[in-house]
Amino acid sequence: GEEGRTPGHSNRVFSLKFHPTMRSVLVTGGWDNTLQIWDLRRGHAVRAIFGPHVCGDAVDIAQDGETILTGSWRVDKQLQLWDFRSERLMETIPWRTGASLAQPCMVYAAQFSKTGSRLIAAGGSGANEAKIFDRQGGSVVGNVLGLTRACYSVDFSNSGTMLAVAGGDGCVRIVNVSAC
């Protein structure tokens, strides 16, 4: 995309992340089906990506700054990876694989692991679950099932050995991910 000026968001903003290597850049996502890329030196959004329907803390940027992760509150194409520089969709990570007839999960929360951005955690409503995906191949390497209400928050520990999952049932679950 060409750098210029975008009008910014037209509706609620639910997630924002500072770029890990460009200290004056911020990426935001919300209900208006856009990601906005802000240059704080210019005081406004300079680029936009249309597509993700972000309804929670579901925007993240890989540690190398090259890939944006989005989680969307919809029944398909929930998890997507975007190229930061070109703003192009790189990959859609399938929530349901094979012949699974499981209830879809609309994503509220998504995050890269903090140690190399190899793992992705995401969770939401509908199926009321959280999953851990391996970026190489997009396979599911862990599940948090049995939540009675939606998952609204996920967070990897700084060491990358644990994942915290929380949601509408008021419980916080800690998952050992060192084996993933």
Side-chain angles (χ1 to χ4, degrees):
E2 187 176 316
E3 288 223 4
R5 183 182 189 123
T6 71
H9 288 284
S10 64
N11 211 315
R12 293 180 182 171
V13 176
F14 282 97
S15 189
L16 50 83
K17 290 292 183 282
F18 276 103
H19 194 280
T21 63
M22 299 174 171
R23 54 185 243 171
S24 62
V25 174
L26 183 71
V27 177
T28 58
W31 267 3
D32 60 359
N33 300 318
T34 70
L35 292 180
Q36 299 288 327
I37 301 170
W38 302 79
D39 184 334
L40 303 180
R41 297 165 299 187
R42 296 175 82 184
H44 55 80
V46 294
R47 298 187 287 152
I49 298 172
F50 182 77
H53 186 70
V54 177
C55 292
D57 191 13
V59 173
D60 203 5
I61 306 171
Q63 287 179 324
D64 62 10
E66 296 178 11
T67 307
I68 301 170
L69 166 67
T70 59
S72 292
W73 197 81
R74 56 186 177 211
V75 296
D76 62 352
K77 301 178 184 175
Q78 299 97 320
L79 285 179
Q80 296 181 310
L81 300 175
W82 304 84
D83 182 79
F84 175 80
R85 298 223 182 265
S86 71
E87 302 151 21
R88 286 192 166 79
L89 178 63
M90 297 167 42
E91 181 180 359
T92 297
I93 300 171
W95 193 271
R96 298 182 291 173
T97 57
S100 171
L101 298 176
Q103 185 175 8
C105 185
M106 289 80 72
V107 172
Y108 279 119
Q111 185 183 80
F112 283 119
S113 59
K114 295 173 181 150
T115 54
S117 304
R118 182 180 70 90
L119 297 177
I120 294 170
S125 66
N128 296 338
E129 64 184 347
K131 290 187 179 189
I132 304 168
F133 298 86
D134 188 322
R135 267 182 77 182
Q136 271 68 42
S139 61
V140 175
V141 295
N143 288 295
V144 179
L145 304 172
L147 284 71
T148 58
R149 302 226 173 146
C151 170
Y152 293 120
S153 188
V154 296
D155 190 38
F156 282 102
S157 65
N158 289 332
S159 66
T161 60
M162 295 180 288
L163 173 70
V165 175
D169 61 2
C171 296
V172 176
R173 293 161 176 85
I174 307 297
V175 179
N176 181 349
V177 296
S178 57
C180 295

